[in-house]
């Protein structure tokens, strides 16, 4: 998604903007630009391509005391310099950066063209700057307010004009904006990672709120110019957490952070006394929890896969019917919200538009929705009826890894909590907790064997397509493995229920389509062996993720990846890690941009 940075303060503005945009590169983008208020007016430089291209264009520097910057993830219009932000009006007196989608942009464009406006780009965003210039009367904030009334869609914007030097106006509706309050300096950004180098004091704007930054400081207002009182909150991340710390890619760093991420997610939430879990943010009494008769999980992408594991597990050990659904699907199918249902919106970023919109639709229907997010203060976290933070630390790589195992950790705690409210005994709870607490160390053991997985990837990175197969709790892990491989190595991959392969996908099986089976020593291992044999009998190559020491499968598969032994229901934590490493190493072999894979964004804040 697009990234926005604004700066007002004593530092060299262009350098601060570029540094901030670099922190937002992980969100995915294809062009970048900045506007700086110089002595002789607004100066704008923008380029297609990576930020280093923009930096080269800025060689002679842009002197100024305030400015705005943008990284663009194309929605309307090709990747080009003209379509890059900031957008200027014809006079060059106004500059705007925008994150989101203006749904009525065509109608507005036509009306502006009738007034003689000449558009320079194909983007929806450009209508904003021309409207502001047209509606400007007494102040920039008045022009922005009058413009916002005419917009339909989503936006996070930052605006400047040379008519009011030193002023930046920001407004938020559907795309995040956060203020950074420094010592004599103020920043504005689309997410906190752009602020951390300067301050950890943040003010989160909500939908329908604006900020006016000028030489006196900042003021927060709603769209009717009413004062909005906002708290300054402390960002609970340190700068070093968003640094690569010597790793070649954020993805590798975050894969290897998983033992600690799981420990942090579990930290303080295991109730040894009751052999249960303690999840503070649920905002539900034990009686309310006990009365829940069904659970619905909504999410997208990797979070959806984690939610599938969570739903399976809750039903399996707590006996509560649970179902996980793609957020963008539930939103538009007019869902029936049944009484005594609990919904869980799972989102690492807490800003995914599909999940946020689905949550809003469900809450409109009276549903109680918990948020399971990683980013504190994110929109889903704020708008939910309660929830649990992952505490896995910032996840920068587009490919989600540690968030997945952190989400599993929260779901396993939730399942334990419900199970112990139903028929799980103290002994069951003790055994569950003992297995769960061994997971971080067991993930570390797998990470120590990564060279073998790298060698394997070297032999399979040339294939054009792969199948990932699993049953029961391993089926969502198979889906996740396929997603990892395709999103960073661009090898086509399909996740499939191992049993389902017979009903179609087996037509794909042959020497040129390797099959990755997730076949740890759980209750469905024997069934998976049968499916492996079906593949082998059709000359398909089999890579099997197995419990270490499984000689039977070693004799069947072409390659095996061992994971430590644990109880059957715990294996998703372990079988996913080799798949993350496998996709990472395949991407390296193929020379792909691992942390910023083509066409992808870290936080998909558009539908
Ligand atoms: C996962 O590797 C992808 N980057 C993507 O599927 C992601 O999981 C999805 O967009 C959901 O993001 P969220 O968890 O921030 O809502």
């Amino acid at each position: 998604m697009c990234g926005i940075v604004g700066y007002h303060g004593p530092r060299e503005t262009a350098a601060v903007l570029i540094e901030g945009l670099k922190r937002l590169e992980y969100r995915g983008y294809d062009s970048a630009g900045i506007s700086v208020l110089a002595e002789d007016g607004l100066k704008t430089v923008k380029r297609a391509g990576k930020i280093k291209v923009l930096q080269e264009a800025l060689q002679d520097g842009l002197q100024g005391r305030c400015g705005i910057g943008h990284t663009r993830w194309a929605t309307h219009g090709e990747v080009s310099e003209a379509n890059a932000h900031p957008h200027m009006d014809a006079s060059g007196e106004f500059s705007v950066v925008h994150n989101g989608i203006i749904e009525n942009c065509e109608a507005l464009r036509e009306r502006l063209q009738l007034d003689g406006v000449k558009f320079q780009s194909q983007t929806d965003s450009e209508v904003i700057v021309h409207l502001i210039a047209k509606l400007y009367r007494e102040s920039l904030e008045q022009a922005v307010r009058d413009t916002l009334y005419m917009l339909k869609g989503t936006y996070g914007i930052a605006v400047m004009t040379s008519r009011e030097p030193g002023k930046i106006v920001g407004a938020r509706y559907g795309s995040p904006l956060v203020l950074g309050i420094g010592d004599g300096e103020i920043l504005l950004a689309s997410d906190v990672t752009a602020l951390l180098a300067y301050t950890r004091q943040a003010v989160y704007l909500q939908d329908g709120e604006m900020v006016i930054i000028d030489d006196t400081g900042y003021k927060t207002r709603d769209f009717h110019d009413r004062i909005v009182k906002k708290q300054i909150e402390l960002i609970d991340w340190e700068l070093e957490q968003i640094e690569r710390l010597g790793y070649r890619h954020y993805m590798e760093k975050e894969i290897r952070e998983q033992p600690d991420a799981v420990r942090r997610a579990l930290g303080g939430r295991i109730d040894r006394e009751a052999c249960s879990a303690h999840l503070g943010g649920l905002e539900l009494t034990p009686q309310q929890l006990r009365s829940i008769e069904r659970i619905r999980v909504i999410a997208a992408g990797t979070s959806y896969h984690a939610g599938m594991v969570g739903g399976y597990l809750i039903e399996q050990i707590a006996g509560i019917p649970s179902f996980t659904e793609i957020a963008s699907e539930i939103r538009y199918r007019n869902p029936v919200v049944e009484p005594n249902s609990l919904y869980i919106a799972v989102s690492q970023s807490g800003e995914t538009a599909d999940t946020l919109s689905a949550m809003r639709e469900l809450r409109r229907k009276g549903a109680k929705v918990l948020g399971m997010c990683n980013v504190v203060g994110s929109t889903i976290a704020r708008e939910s009826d309660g929830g649990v933070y992952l505490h896995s630390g910032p996840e920068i790589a587009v490919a989600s890894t540690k968030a997945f195992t952190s989400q599993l950790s929260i779901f396993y705690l939730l399942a334990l909590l419900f199970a112990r409210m139903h028929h799980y005994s103290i002994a069951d709870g003790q055994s569950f907790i003992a297995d769960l607490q061994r997971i971080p160390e067991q993930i570390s053991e797998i990470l120590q064997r990564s060279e073998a997985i790298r060698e394997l990837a070297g032999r399979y990175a040339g294939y054009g397509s792969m199948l990932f197969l699993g049953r029961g709790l391993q089926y969502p892990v198979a889906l996740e493995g396929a997603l990892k491989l395709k999103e960073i190595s661009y090898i086509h991959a399909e996740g499939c229920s191992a049993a389902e392969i017979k009903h179609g996908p087996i037509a794909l099986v042959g020497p040129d389509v390797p099959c990755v089976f997730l076949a740890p020593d759980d209750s469905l291992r024997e069934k998976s062996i049968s499916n492996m044999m079906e593949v082998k009998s059709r000359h398909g190559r089999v890579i099997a993720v197995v419990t270490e020491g499984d000689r039977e499968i070693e004799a069947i598969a072409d390659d095996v990846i061992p994971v430590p032994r644990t109880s059957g229901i715990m294996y998703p934590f372990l079988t996913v890690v080799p798949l993350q490493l496998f996709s990472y190493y395949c991407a390296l072999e193929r020379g792909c941009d691992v942390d910023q894979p083509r066409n992808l964004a870290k936080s998909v804040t558009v539908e």
Side-chain angles (χ1 to χ4, degrees), residues 96-369:
V96 171
V97 293
H98 166 236
N99 181 16
I101 289 185
I102 305 303
E103 293 173 357
N104 61 335
C105 63
E106 285 314 314
L108 292 170
R109 177 185 279 258
E110 283 166 24
R111 277 185 57 184
L112 286 161
Q113 284 170 328
L114 287 174
D115 290 347
V117 171
K118 299 272 182 288
F119 278 79
Q120 306 301 317
S121 80
Q122 307 158 303
T123 68
D124 54 329
S125 309
E126 189 183 349
V127 299
I128 302 171
V129 73
H130 294 307
L131 283 172
I132 290 171
K134 178 182 165 62
L135 297 170
Y136 185 93
R137 300 287 180 275
E138 77 237 15
S139 74
L140 184 57
E141 54 270 33
Q142 160 269 317
V144 170
R145 271 198 305 277
D146 294 350
T147 296
L148 299 184
Y149 290 132
M150 302 178 74
L151 302 182
K152 288 196 180 72
T154 58
Y155 46 82
I157 59 171
V159 192
M160 288 196 310
T161 179
S162 54
R163 298 185 191 180
E164 298 180 64
K167 182 179 278 188
I168 301 173
V169 173
R172 174 199 161 140
Y173 189 80
S175 291
L177 268 187
V178 57
L179 275 169
I181 313 303
D183 181 6
E185 56 191 0
I186 297 172
L187 296 100
L188 183 63
S190 37
D191 84 39
V192 294
T193 49
L195 309 178
L196 282 172
Y198 305 96
T199 180
R200 289 177 59 204
Q201 300 199 91
V203 173
Y204 295 88
L205 293 185
Q206 295 308 307
D207 285 353
E209 293 178 351
M210 289 173 70
V211 61
I212 299 102
I213 301 167
D214 59 22
D215 297 339
T216 66
Y218 71 96
K219 298 185 283 287
T220 47
R221 296 284 186 274
D222 67 13
F223 288 179
H224 305 288
D225 197 23
R226 290 177 300 217
I227 293 172
V228 177
K229 290 210 176 311
K230 304 292 288 183
Q231 292 294 321
I232 294 180
E233 301 179 46
L234 194 61
I235 302 167
D236 71 351
W237 289 345
E238 301 288 345
L239 177 59
E240 65 165 13
Q241 287 180 287
I242 65 168
E243 304 281 3
R244 258 209 305 268
L245 301 183
Y247 285 97
R248 188 171 162 195
H249 298 104
Y250 280 108
M251 184 179 178
E252 183 187 15
K253 171 176 178 261
E254 290 152 11
I255 289 172
R256 294 185 183 283
E257 281 178 341
Q258 289 184 107
D260 286 341
V262 169
R263 286 189 190 97
R264 280 199 299 271
L266 298 176
R269 292 168 167 167
I270 290 176
D271 184 342
R272 280 179 188 68
E273 181 65 30
C275 298
S276 183
H278 172 68
L279 293 166
L282 295 185
E283 308 295 331
L284 289 167
T285 64
Q287 293 70 26
Q288 287 170 321
L289 283 168
R290 186 66 178 79
S291 68
I292 289 165
E293 295 171 5
R294 63 189 63 74
I295 288 173
R296 297 284 180 265
V297 180
I298 60 169
T302 288
S303 297
Y304 168 67
H305 301 148
M308 283 180 73
V309 174
Y312 273 40
L313 185 76
I314 289 169
E315 186 156 333
Q316 199 171 318
I317 72 169
I320 300 172
S322 302
F323 183 70
T324 303
E325 191 162 358
I326 295 274
S328 55
E329 287 300 311
I330 194 170
R331 181 191 181 191
Y332 289 107
R333 65 170 181 76
N334 194 19
V336 172
V337 173
E338 296 164 286
N340 299 324
S341 298
L342 177 65
Y343 287 79
I344 303 172
V346 187
S347 174
Q348 188 284 132
S349 64
E351 301 296 348
T352 296
D354 290 331
T355 310
L356 177 59
S357 303
M359 178 177 84
R360 287 172 173 166
E361 174 65 5
L362 288 164
R363 297 192 73 236
R364 270 191 288 273
K365 289 175 176 286
K368 178 175 274 295
V369 185

